[in-house]
Amino acid sequence: MKQICTLRAAVAQITDCASIMIGGFVCCGMALRLIDALLEQGTKELTIISNDAGYPDKGVGKLVGANRIRKLIASYLGPNPDVGRKMNSGELLVELVPQGTLAERIRCGGAGLGGILTPTGIGTEVERGKQIITVDGKQYLVEMPLRADFSFVKAHVCDKMGNAFIAKSSKNFNVVMAMAARHTIVETDELVEPGALDPERVSVPGVFVKTIAWSNSHE
Amino acid sequence: MKQICTLRAAVAQITDCASIMIGGFVCCGMALRLIDALLEQGTKELTIISNDAGYPDKGVGKLVGANRIRKLIASYLGPNPDVGRKMNSGELLVELVPQGTLAERIRCGGAGLGGILTPTGIGTEVERGKQIITVDGKQYLVEMPLRADFSFVKAHVCDKMGNAFIAKSSKNFNVVMAMAARHTIVETDELVEPGALDPERVSVPGVFVKTIAWSNSHE
Amino acid sequence: MSDDNKDLKRERIAKRIVRELPDNALVNLGVGLPTLVANFMPKDKTILLHSENGFTGLGPMPAKGAEDWDIVNAGGFPVSILAGGCFFDSAMSFSIIRGGHLDVTVLGGLEVDEAGNLANYLIPGKMLAGMGGAMDLVVGARTVIIAMEHVNKYGEPKILKQCRLPLTAQRVVNLIVTDMAFMRVTPRGLVLEEIAADTTVDDVIKNTEAHLTLAPTIATF
Amino acid sequence: MSDDNKDLKRERIAKRIVRELPDNALVNLGVGLPTLVANFMPKDKTILLHSENGFTGLGPMPAKGAEDWDIVNAGGFPVSILAGGCFFDSAMSFSIIRGGHLDVTVLGGLEVDEAGNLANYLIPGKMLAGMGGAMDLVVGARTVIIAMEHVNKYGEPKILKQCRLPLTAQRVVNLIVTDMAFMRVTPRGLVLEEIAADTTVDDVIKNTEAHLTLAPTIATF
């Protein structure tokens, strides 16, 4: 069975220097309460993989602000000017990855693939240090899988088998990140018995999930 | 808007020598009525990409039996001994592809990727003629994208924007095949107005669909 | 330039771009100026908007107080979904983009050059916006339209012989629409097809570093 | 061998395999003999079955007349889904398999050899079953168990020094369970750990081409 626990207990398993994938898109579909619990706990030197750094006062942005992140792998930093400042001052390592490539690299990690060939990034700084393969006369970059120690997935409903429904546009990176971490933690608004969630509405199959942190169990 | 028509009109666009991806898994989720309409029409010399060849008297198996297929790309031929016979007698070309690789190659075709690196097939006949890349000390085959002129997708409900709900275990190859054809045809049991299908239950986004063949409109 | 005037010029860019959208097109609008295009959707065409964070059928912002924070656009702001749209995850969203299923993408630009190269995500040491979905969008979309001011805030040309900033992608831009001009990228370089109502061909040329070939007739927009 | 006797031997294989399934395991059962394992699921463990055509929570065949043909197993026959299962497409299904999320796969075999190589999809010129999901399953699953008769229909060994048929995969098999023996593939070759109640160690060795190392104690199953 899955570990079902408080937000605090869920993040207690995360130690300094861990790598964490955090789903969400400018805070939509981001496990904000797990991030808050992680902040409270004081964990530092993290590698964070996330589409963006949210806003300075919300989500991943809070971890940036509190200097908990050593390296950030992301695609879009528009809404958070802190990141650029900290990068330029040498406080934070930033690896920029095109958004589609980020999704595919994470999916590769979860799907047991050794990489993908993508046309995205050819002729740009993104291609630096990467192998280029020509298929049918077109150039592709070989992009490698991304995996992490943990991933934070934000669900609206999760059953006790870990099957998670993620509503509307908050699915975004949560689905592939659930697949690609050694330990996937779901923060859910609602926890239900197996069978209570329509099997056609499952965004993340429970087989990927190890821990379910129930928001309402937050002390 | 999408072309909404009879099964007969839908397949009228398919000429001899066309390549067609046909979703389904041993006939579950297979567009059986589109296949029947194609048989009636007499189209031949087809390249068919499908997980399996169904049974001799059903689905893709009927196309095999009627000698309409020049080349079959599939993973599993257990339930149809016809295929082996016709292959051994030289009437039919067969390319065997591992099921997971087949799904990923088709997905690559639909997703604009140049290929994937998979560990599946290393050290077997599947690796013949393919490039092998070592990543982190592990060997991977480079597998190329698959695309087709047409794909047949079987839906339970489809709205007039092409958004399709495919129930239960009949999703199988239908989702990736919808993405990878130049012309995707959905055979649906039920046709509804835009908005009548819950946007959370869409298995295939309508943007991939060109033609909707409404089973009940079969004359 | 007054703010009102600036807004009018941005509207003019958006309205001109709308005329380039084919009927039944699937279109993705970038953050900022390109988003304005949604305000002028043609009544006589069916345009489906794609939001790269994960849905089709992008609709208007809801009234204040009626926001659904689970439906946001690529800028993270609450929007709505129209009948006939649907939700999906990021991997599917970028499969749509990269797989050639997107008809048009409209994006902002820092620099565009004669070869159709685009730079729009990074000014080393200054601005670190990140490419977000831009690199995939311009590589995957059938038509790439860049919507931007003709010159930067120092009055310097943004349409160059050759981009100087880090590229978003090579040879991808099809059309450039600015507050001054409508230009097409062709194998023989940039062709000036139309100018804004309040400018002249000479003025456009003066504010453009790239060589502009003049179309046989130059219309006004 | 009578059919009844054959059925009993197949049951014995299935029951022995059941004991190898860890609590909370995600398990995939191949077509044929491996499917029997589902009939003997342990009451004291929670086992979730994965069906590679697209769901977890594989349950028993429905009563005649109550079949739902949209819920079939990998053999194409109607089954059911249990509470806590969910549906997905083939790409997701094989992501689960290939990505290391599957604890155990049980498959049939034509040949297995001392190195843990497996052949089970093709007899050139004779049988063209196709590998289906087998190549992905054995490469992806954490534990690979082969369930098969100890010898073929001509009485010839199927457990060989080296496979002769086209391989399904190299060095992937962990356990071999037959009507005669329970063997483990180790870096030093095959270890015979248990024999069936109605056979002897000598008999097993006589019917095996591969070299068998004997475990310190040989149990009976």
Side-chain angles (χ1 to χ4, degrees), chain C residues 125-175:
Chain C
K126 278 175 86 178
M127 184 202 78
L128 177 78
M131 68 291 278
M135 284 194 180
D136 296 285
L137 283 161
V138 296
V139 163
R142 294 203 190 109
T143 301
V144 175
I145 303 176
I146 301 302
M148 63 181 193
E149 322 269 306
H150 204 90
V151 297
N152 68 20
K153 59 182 171 178
Y154 308 108
E156 299 160 348
K158 297 174 67 172
I159 301 168
L160 309 175
K161 287 193 184 306
Q162 203 171 343
C163 288
R164 291 162 205 140
L165 291 172
L167 292 188
T168 303
Q170 282 181 329
R171 301 175 180 277
V172 290
V173 179
N174 299 105
L175 295 171

Side-chain angles (χ1 to χ4, degrees), chain B residues 25-26 50-52 74-79 96-104 118-121 124 126 173, chain D residues 28-31 50-54 73-75 90-91 93-99 102 104-108 118 120-121 129-141 144 146 167-169 172:
Chain B
F25 198 106
V26 198
S50 188
N51 175 62
D52 54 79
S75 87
Y76 180 54
L77 305 167
L96 282 177
V97 180
Q99 203 166 113
T101 301
L102 186 62
E104 286 297 325
T118 179
T120 306
T124 76
V126 168
F173 280 87
Chain D
N28 185 295
L29 303 175
V31 178
H50 172 268
S51 194
E52 73 255 34
N53 52 316
N73 63 15
S90 294
S93 187
F94 281 84
S95 294
I96 292 172
I97 291 170
R98 217 193 297 97
L102 190 67
V104 181
T105 184
V106 185
L107 286 172
L118 170 69
N120 76 348
Y121 81 102
M131 68 291 278
M135 284 194 181
D136 297 284
L137 283 162
V138 296
V139 163
V144 175
I146 301 302
L167 292 188
T168 303
V172 290

Side-chain angles (χ1 to χ4, degrees), chain A residues 8-22:
Chain A
R8 201 172 284 180
V11 300
Q13 311 171 78
I14 305 174
T15 55
D16 289 353
C17 301
S19 58
I20 314 176
M21 291 178 173
I22 301 183

Side-chain angles (χ1 to χ4, degrees), chain B residues 85-167:
Chain B
R85 257 197 305 277
K86 283 185 192 277
M87 189 184 85
N88 291 335
S89 71
E91 290 169 86
L92 178 64
L93 289 169
V94 176
E95 181 182 336
L96 282 177
V97 180
Q99 203 166 113
T101 301
L102 186 62
E104 286 297 325
R105 288 181 63 191
I106 296 168
R107 183 179 179 275
C108 277
L113 299 171
I116 46 136
L117 277 54
T118 179
T120 306
I122 286 284
T124 76
E125 296 203 348
V126 168
E127 78 171 38
R128 205 184 289 169
K130 291 173 188 157
Q131 192 175 347
I132 294 174
I133 289 185
T134 301
V135 179
D136 287 339
K138 189 171 171 182
Q139 288 193 315
Y140 295 91
L141 283 187
V142 181
E143 291 278 4
M144 297 289 125
L146 270 176
R147 289 181 60 79
D149 299 324
F150 295 88
S151 68
F152 287 0
V153 170
K154 172 63 175 65
H156 291 75
V157 185
C158 186
D159 73 18
K160 289 181 175 171
M161 302 286 279
N163 297 300
F165 168 63
I166 305 175

Side-chain angles (χ1 to χ4, degrees), chain A residues 79-148:
Chain A
N80 193 339
D82 269 13
V83 176
R85 255 196 307 276
K86 284 186 190 278
M87 188 182 85
N88 291 335
S89 71
E91 290 170 87
L92 179 63
L93 289 170
V94 176
E95 180 183 337
L96 282 176
V97 180
Q99 203 166 113
T101 300
L102 186 62
E104 287 296 326
R105 287 182 63 190
I106 296 167
R107 182 179 180 275
C108 276
L113 299 171
I116 46 134
L117 277 54
T118 179
T120 306
I122 286 283
T124 76
E125 296 202 349
V126 168
E127 77 172 38
R128 205 184 288 168
K130 290 173 190 156
Q131 191 176 349
I132 295 174
I133 289 186
T134 301
V135 180
D136 287 338
K138 190 170 171 182
Q139 287 193 316
Y140 294 91
L141 283 187
V142 181
E143 291 278 5
M144 296 289 125
L146 270 175
R147 289 180 61 78

Side-chain angles (χ1 to χ4, degrees), chain A residues 61-195:
Chain A
K62 282 192 191 175
L63 294 171
V64 173
N67 295 314
R68 302 295 173 79
I69 308 182
R70 191 181 59 82
K71 183 175 182 184
L72 177 65
I73 300 175
S75 87
Y76 180 57
L77 305 166
N80 193 339
D82 269 13
V83 176
R85 255 196 307 276
K86 284 186 190 278
M87 188 182 85
N88 291 335
S89 71
E91 290 170 87
L92 179 63
L93 289 170
V94 176
E95 180 183 337
L96 282 176
V97 180
Q99 203 166 113
T101 300
L102 186 62
E104 287 296 326
R105 287 182 63 190
I106 296 167
R107 182 179 180 275
C108 276
L113 299 171
I116 46 134
L117 277 54
T118 179
T120 306
I122 286 283
T124 76
E125 296 202 349
V126 168
E127 77 172 38
R128 205 184 288 168
K130 290 173 190 156
Q131 191 176 349
I132 295 174
I133 289 186
T134 301
V135 180
D136 287 338
K138 190 170 171 182
Q139 287 193 316
Y140 294 91
L141 283 187
V142 181
E143 291 278 5
M144 296 289 125
L146 270 175
R147 289 180 61 78
D149 299 323
F150 295 88
S151 67
F152 287 1
V153 169
K154 171 65 174 64
H156 292 75
V157 185
C158 187
D159 72 19
K160 289 179 175 173
M161 302 284 280
N163 297 299
F165 169 64
I166 306 174
K168 303 171 190 171
S169 78
S170 57
K171 292 172 189 54
N172 53 61
F173 280 87
N174 282 301
V175 179
V176 287
M177 287 178 173
M179 300 162 66
R182 275 169 282 277
H183 189 141
T184 292
I185 305 174
V186 171
E187 170 190 324
T188 186
D189 293 339
E190 198 185 337
L191 180 68
V192 300
E193 292 299 321

Side-chain angles (χ1 to χ4, degrees), chain A residues 28-29 154 156 167-170 189, chain C residues 67-72 87:
Chain A
C28 173
K154 171 65 174 64
H156 292 75
K168 303 171 190 171
S169 78
S170 57
D189 293 339
Chain C
E67 296 94 348
D68 178 347
W69 286 92
D70 286 319
I71 309 181
V72 304
F87 298 108

Side-chain angles (χ1 to χ4, degrees), chain A residues 1 107 110-113 147 159 161 163 175 179 194-195 199-200 202-203 205-208, chain D residues 24 26 46 48 56 81 83-88 91-92 94-101:
Chain A
M1 289 297 289
R107 182 179 180 275
L113 299 171
R147 289 180 61 78
D159 72 19
M161 302 284 280
N163 297 299
V175 179
M179 300 162 66
E200 298 285 11
V202 171
S203 316
V207 298
F208 298 122
Chain D
N24 293 318
L26 180 67
T46 309
L48 186 65
T56 52
I81 186 169
C86 67
F87 298 108
F88 33 77
M92 177 59 99
F94 281 84
S95 294
I96 292 172
I97 291 170
R98 217 193 297 97
H101 310 283

